[in-house]
Amino acid sequence: MHPTDWPYPRFCAHRGAGTLAPENTLAAMRLGADHGYRMFEFDCKLAGDGSIVLMHDDTLDRTTDGHGRVAQATLADLMRLDAGSWHSPDYAGEGVPTLFRVARWLLANDFLANIEIKPCVGRDFETGAAVAMEADHLFRDADIAPVLTSFSESALEGAREAAPDLPRGLLFDTLPDDWLARALALGCVAINPHFSQLSEAVVDAAHDAGLRVLSYTVNAPERLDELVAWGVDTLITDAVDQFAP
């Protein structure tokens, strides 16, 4: 994808609809879709047996009824977990999805994806390569490829090596002085800073360099209006019930 092309919508649902429903589950994505969203951001990491699953944390404790490290669990272990009850009784029994299952649902409904590569400690390059290879295979017939993003430059290097044609974006919690050089060195088509790190000058500099700008996690209407005015290309939000896409 040429960096000047941007076929993605202005709004993207964070972790599905990850505050109104259990994050990184198909239930959350279905809820986001019910609110009119057609692009979904979610986190992918490797389980202990190399399976690719949706999970933000390195451990199971916060978002499932399991315990311990994701990197020590097999897919069979993860399939037995409840990933919904922690959020509310309405979602009791919701499962931990695989990238394969989510991709099938996205493709069947003509939805788009921002896949955040979220490696467990010490597995950055390996995870980036595995997620990119799987995404490249699963979305090979899609009209619009998923965007792969990560805070880990090593993970993005792995993604570039495994699937060089998939678009990539570098995530920033704090925007460093050399943000542009780092993004360009990785062959990224976009940057994805926290909204607090953006200014009109940063957005203009990114666009002048041929990069697009995503921003997370934009939940306040007053900030949204400002970011839209600056020309931010895609806004990632939890507030799917407040912002009409």
Side-chain angles (χ1 to χ4, degrees), residues 20-231:
L20 300 178
E23 65 182 61
N24 286 314
T25 64
L26 277 169
M29 294 181 206
R30 291 188 181 104
L31 183 58
D34 287 344
H35 285 281
Y37 281 70
R38 50 183 297 268
M39 184 174 183
F40 302 91
E41 184 271 352
F42 52 88
D43 305 296
C44 281
K45 59 181 359 92
L46 290 177
D49 59 1
S51 302
I52 302 172
V53 295
L54 273 63
M55 187 79 62
H56 178 276
D57 299 358
D58 278 1
T59 58
L60 301 166
D61 302 65
R62 181 175 67 88
T63 58
T64 78
D65 60 349
H67 304 285
R69 302 184 66 81
V70 179
Q72 294 176 332
T74 66
L75 182 60
D77 296 330
L78 297 171
M79 292 302 98
R80 288 192 287 266
L81 298 180
D82 180 340
S85 292
W86 68 272
H87 182 276
S88 62
D90 289 344
Y91 293 105
E94 184 67 25
V96 175
T98 60
L99 177 57
F100 173 83
R101 186 180 176 202
V102 169
R104 293 290 295 270
W105 179 80
L106 292 168
L107 290 165
N109 290 281
D110 197 27
F111 293 146
L112 306 177
N114 169 193
I115 303 173
E116 181 179 342
I117 304 167
K118 203 81 171 175
C120 295
V121 175
R123 305 185 75 181
D124 295 58
F125 188 94
E126 172 192 7
T127 303
V131 170
M133 186 178 299
E134 179 78 344
D136 194 39
H137 172 71
L138 292 171
F139 291 90
R140 64 190 181 279
D141 296 325
D143 292 333
I144 301 173
V147 180
L148 307 180
T149 58
S150 187
F151 288 100
S152 168
E153 293 177 40
S154 178
L156 290 176
E157 288 171 354
R160 177 172 59 180
E161 182 171 307
D165 292 334
L166 288 184
R168 296 176 301 279
L170 182 57
L171 277 154
F172 294 103
D173 183 29
T174 301
L175 203 63
D177 292 339
D178 62 346
W179 62 267
L180 180 56
R182 288 165 64 174
L184 293 176
L186 289 164
C188 290
V189 303
I191 58 168
N192 188 354
H194 187 269
F195 72 86
S196 65
Q197 299 298 296
L198 284 176
S199 66
E200 188 171 13
V202 168
V203 176
D204 287 345
H207 286 165
D208 289 345
L211 297 174
R212 294 295 184 145
V213 182
L214 298 86
S215 187
Y216 75 96
T217 306
V218 186
N219 296 329
E222 61 273 15
R223 290 313 308 267
L224 179 140
D225 292 341
E226 183 176 53
L227 294 165
V228 168
W230 291 345

